[in-house]
Amino acid sequence: MRDHTLNPFIKYLGRRFLFLLITYFIALTIVFILPRVIPGNPLASLLSRIFQQGQANPELLRSVERTLMQEFGLGKPWIVQYVEFISRALRGDLGTSISSYPKKTLELIIPVIPWTLALLIPSILIAWIIGNTLGAFAGYRRGSLVDKVALNTSLIIGQIPYYWLGMLLIFLFTVKLKIFPGQGGYTQGTIPHFSINFILDVLSHYILPSLSIIISALGGWAIGTRMLVVNELDSDYVSFSEHLGVKSNTIFGYVFRNSLLPQVTGLALSLGGALGGALITEIIFNYPGTGYLLFRALSTLDYPLIQGIFVILIASIYLANFFVDFVYAIIDPRIRLGQGES
């Protein structure tokens, strides 16, 4: 008789997908509500710009405000705005920016995404590789001088606020040594183009923000891996391998691989959240990424732009989560066979 029971692997992925879909819907609801509870008029910056340009008298200005309120739907009840926001988000329409009217929010978000990804992905990967390697060696040689130096250094680095580290790097390498520029993604006034000189200019602006992210992150990775390696060393298979006379390098390889699984999860989540940018780092270095764009949107109460950035950011995090669940199901046979979930 044919077995019509659904494959446990498919059931697992289906449940995870449904869970992410529900939480994504809840996240969109929060994204809709949060900007609206911040005091202030979202049209103030746009109306102020129109007024400063001298193109409107007070009566015309009020008329423009009413028109804009109608266009952005801000005069409608919240429930109507909410339904419109959800339906537009599902269709991929993230609306028109208020602060950069009449540009679409996607026209503002898409150009800054490559800057953020180029900054964060290599920095996260470098910090992950160095931090995990350092933590693994320290954990494997626990109690030694190498372990003490690595642990204490990681603890100190891990406690340094990255915004403070960013300012310190600017003071040292920009103000004192004058080696690297400390502001922007490239020299102000330069028109982006493909040439060696422009690439070198971009790289010189890239080093300090990247360095601040790497240094501030690797301490956390190192401490986490050291703890995982120390726990693995107390496992029965390590003791058994030592009694069998297995080479220490081979044991270290097993311990390192087994310790990396939770760190891979952390890496996937960090990469998934990369689209959100390193907000403070991008503000300190005036770096043209999504974090800096979000800061501008929050400071001008640009509802559509705030919502647009978060819609993309949350979707990327949830996709990363789903990818991690998929990889876990592939790696761990207990999950694949439906025995790993309660």
Side-chain angles (χ1 to χ4, degrees):
M1 184 177 176
R2 191 175 177 180
D3 185 9
H4 293 285
T5 307
L6 200 58
N7 187 311
F9 180 59
I10 303 296
K11 280 173 65 180
Y12 166 76
L13 289 181
R15 279 199 299 271
R16 299 305 301 165
F17 183 74
L18 183 63
F19 174 76
L20 290 178
L21 208 60
I22 294 170
T23 51
Y24 184 63
F25 182 75
I26 295 171
L28 287 184
T29 305
I30 295 172
V31 166
F32 171 81
I33 293 172
L34 279 181
R36 285 164 174 79
V37 297
I38 301 174
N41 181 1
L43 297 177
S45 62
L46 179 57
L47 292 171
S48 172
R49 202 172 67 212
I50 295 172
F51 186 76
Q52 286 172 1
Q53 289 173 350
Q55 296 176 357
N57 57 45
E59 184 55 38
L60 184 57
L61 202 60
R62 281 191 285 273
S63 172
V64 170
E65 183 178 11
R66 285 194 293 272
T67 305
L68 290 174
M69 288 283 283
Q70 189 175 4
E71 178 168 344
F72 288 104
L74 297 174
K76 297 177 183 176
W78 273 30
I79 185 66
V80 177
Q81 293 184 45
Y82 174 70
V83 172
E84 289 180 353
F85 163 66
I86 294 292
S87 62
R88 281 202 311 270
L90 293 177
R91 295 196 309 270
D93 179 6
L94 302 180
T96 305
S97 167
I98 295 176
S99 59
S100 300
Y101 183 82
K103 281 190 175 179
K104 294 287 184 184
T105 55
L106 279 178
E107 292 179 51
L108 298 170
I109 296 171
I110 288 175
V112 300
I113 285 178
W115 287 96
T116 289
L117 294 181
L119 173 65
L120 285 180
I121 290 180
S123 304
I124 290 171
L125 287 175
I126 291 170
W128 189 83
I129 293 169
I130 296 176
N132 282 300
T133 307
L134 185 66
F137 277 111
Y140 195 66
R141 300 188 180 280
R142 57 181 165 179
S144 66
L145 181 63
V146 174
D147 178 32
K148 289 173 184 172
V149 171
L151 179 61
N152 289 322
T153 307
S154 300
L155 285 171
I156 293 170
I157 291 175
Q159 295 303 314
I160 298 176
Y162 58 92
Y163 55 86
W164 186 83
L165 183 63
M167 289 189 286
L168 185 66
L169 291 173
I170 290 175
F171 175 75
L172 187 61
F173 291 102
T174 304
V175 178
K176 287 294 180 185
L177 300 177
K178 301 184 188 306
I179 298 175
F180 299 116
Q183 294 288 304
Y186 50 87
T187 302
Q188 197 171 10
T190 306
I191 298 173
H193 61 286
F194 187 75
S195 70
I196 295 296
N197 287 337
F198 182 71
I199 291 172
L200 292 176
D201 186 37
V202 169
L203 286 177
S204 67
H205 286 78
Y206 176 87
I207 289 174
L208 291 188
S210 174
L211 202 57
S212 72
I213 295 170
I214 292 170
I215 293 174
S216 60
L218 69 86
W221 291 119
I223 294 169
T225 306
R226 182 191 176 277
M227 290 175 59
L228 292 166
V229 167
V230 168
N231 287 334
E232 282 292 320
L233 288 174
D234 294 330
S235 302
D236 292 337
Y237 77 88
V238 174
S239 303
F240 188 64
S241 301
E242 287 173 344
H243 283 301
L244 289 178
V246 177
K247 290 181 181 177
S248 60
N249 286 344
T250 306
I251 297 175
F252 176 70
Y254 291 141
V255 168
F256 190 35
R257 269 208 307 270
N258 291 338
S259 305
L260 272 185
L261 197 57
Q263 301 296 73
V264 171
T265 306
L267 174 66
L269 293 178
S270 297
L271 292 176
L275 277 180
L279 181 64
I280 304 297
T281 301
E282 291 184 3
I283 292 171
I284 291 172
F285 289 97
N286 199 18
Y287 201 79
T290 49
Y292 188 67
L293 184 66
L294 178 61
F295 168 71
R296 279 175 44 203
L298 288 169
S299 60
T300 55
L301 280 181
D302 191 338
Y303 290 176
L305 190 52
I306 296 171
Q307 292 168 171
I309 293 171
F310 275 111
V311 164
I312 295 173
L313 170 63
I314 294 168
S316 68
I317 293 173
Y318 281 15
L319 282 175
N321 260 293
F322 187 71
F323 177 72
V324 170
D325 290 336
F326 179 77
V327 171
Y328 258 65
I330 295 291
I331 294 174
D332 192 339
R334 293 171 302 176
I335 295 176
R336 195 165 59 245
L337 298 174
Q339 300 167 4
E341 281 194 307
S342 59

